[in-house]
C-alpha cells in the first residue's frame, strides 16, 4: 500500500468531499472524507536561487509566507517564516518535500505543527541538512484560521 498526499492550493471549506484516485493502469479507488474546519494551503518552491537576499515572499489571505535557503557546509538549511494576518486558532502545519516529492532523509521535525499563532505574530523554523541532489524543495504550509 502506498500513501498519497495531495495538497489543494486554495481554501477548503468544511463539508463532505469525495476523493477519487486512478492509477496509470486505470485502477480506481473512491472514498469520502469529512473536512471539519477551514484550511488554506500554499506551496513554496525553494531553489538554489532563493538565498535570504532573494527569498520567496507570498502574501496569502491568512498569513504572509517567506522561504529561503542557507548553505551549511556541503548541504542546505531551508528556512521559512509565517506571519499570521488573522488568529490561527487551530494552528498550522508545515512539511518539506524534496525534488522527487518525498521527505528528505535527514531533516528534523517534518511535518512541523504549531497549535496556534495569534494575528501579528510570526514563527520562523528551518530544516537541515538538505542534500544538493534533493533540491529544489517544496514547503507545504496549511493554516487553520478557525477552530
Amino acid at each position: 500500500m502506498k500513501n498519497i498526499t495531495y495538497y489543494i492550493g486554495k481554501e477548503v471549506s468544511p463539508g463532505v468531499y469525495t476523493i477519487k484516485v486512478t492509477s496509470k493502469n486505470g485502477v480506481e479507488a473512491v472514498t469520502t472524507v469529512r473536512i471539519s474546519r477551514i484550511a488554506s494551503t500554499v506551496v513554496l518552491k525553494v531553489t538554489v536561487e532563493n538565498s535570504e537576499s532573494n527569498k520567496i515572499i507570498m502574501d496569502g489571505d491568512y498569513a504572509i509566507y517567506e522561504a529561503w535557503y542557507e548553505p551549511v557546509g556541503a548541504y542546505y538549511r531551508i528556512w521559512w517564516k509565517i506571519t499570521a494576518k488573522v488568529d490561527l486558532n487551530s494552528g498550522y502545519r508545515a512539511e518539506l518535500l524534496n525534488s522527487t516529492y518525498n521527505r528528505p532523509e535527514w531533516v528534523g521535525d517534518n511535518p512541523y505543527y504549531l497549535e496556534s499563532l495569534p494575528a501579528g505574530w510570526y514563527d520562523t523554523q528551518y530544516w537541515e541538512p538538505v542534500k544538493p541532489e534533493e533540491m529544489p524543495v517544496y514547503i507545504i504550509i496549511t493554516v487553520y484560521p478557525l477552530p
Side-chain angles (χ1 to χ4, degrees):
M1 180 172 174
K2 180 164 176 115
N3 289 329
I4 299 170
T5 304
Y6 178 78
Y7 295 94
I8 300 169
K10 63 179 184 174
E11 183 176 290
V12 177
S13 298
V16 177
Y17 295 86
T18 301
I19 299 172
K20 179 179 176 182
V21 178
T22 306
S23 75
K24 291 179 182 178
N25 296 331
V27 177
E28 296 180 354
V30 178
T31 189
T32 302
V33 295
R34 176 179 299 279
I35 304 293
S36 59
R37 58 186 175 175
I38 292 176
S40 181
T41 301
V42 298
V43 179
L44 307 173
K45 179 181 179 182
V46 181
T47 72
V48 294
E49 307 296 319
N50 300 118
S51 63
E52 187 172 11
S53 63
N54 188 35
K55 65 175 105 175
I56 297 164
I57 301 174
M58 181 183 290
D59 191 352
D61 291 337
Y62 302 111
I64 298 170
Y65 309 92
E66 300 174 51
W68 65 97
Y69 86 93
E70 173 186 9
V72 178
Y75 300 105
Y76 298 110
R77 178 180 292 152
I78 306 300
W79 285 92
W80 51 277
K81 177 181 179 181
I82 178 173
T83 303
K85 293 167 74 173
V86 301
D87 290 338
L88 301 178
N89 294 326
S90 295
Y92 77 91
R93 178 183 190 272
E95 183 173 9
L96 181 70
L97 300 180
N98 64 21
S99 59
T100 60
Y101 308 107
N102 293 297
R103 290 183 178 160
E105 292 180 38
W106 302 332
V107 298
D109 293 335
N110 189 19
Y112 173 85
Y113 181 75
L114 188 67
E115 292 183 8
S116 69
L117 190 63
W121 289 37
Y122 68 88
D123 187 17
T124 303
Q125 300 291 329
Y126 64 84
W127 287 289
E128 77 168 300
V130 173
K131 300 176 190 176
E133 61 269 20
E134 294 178 308
M135 295 293 281
V137 293
Y138 301 88
I139 301 172
I140 299 97
I141 303 175
T142 303
V143 298
Y144 306 102
L146 301 172

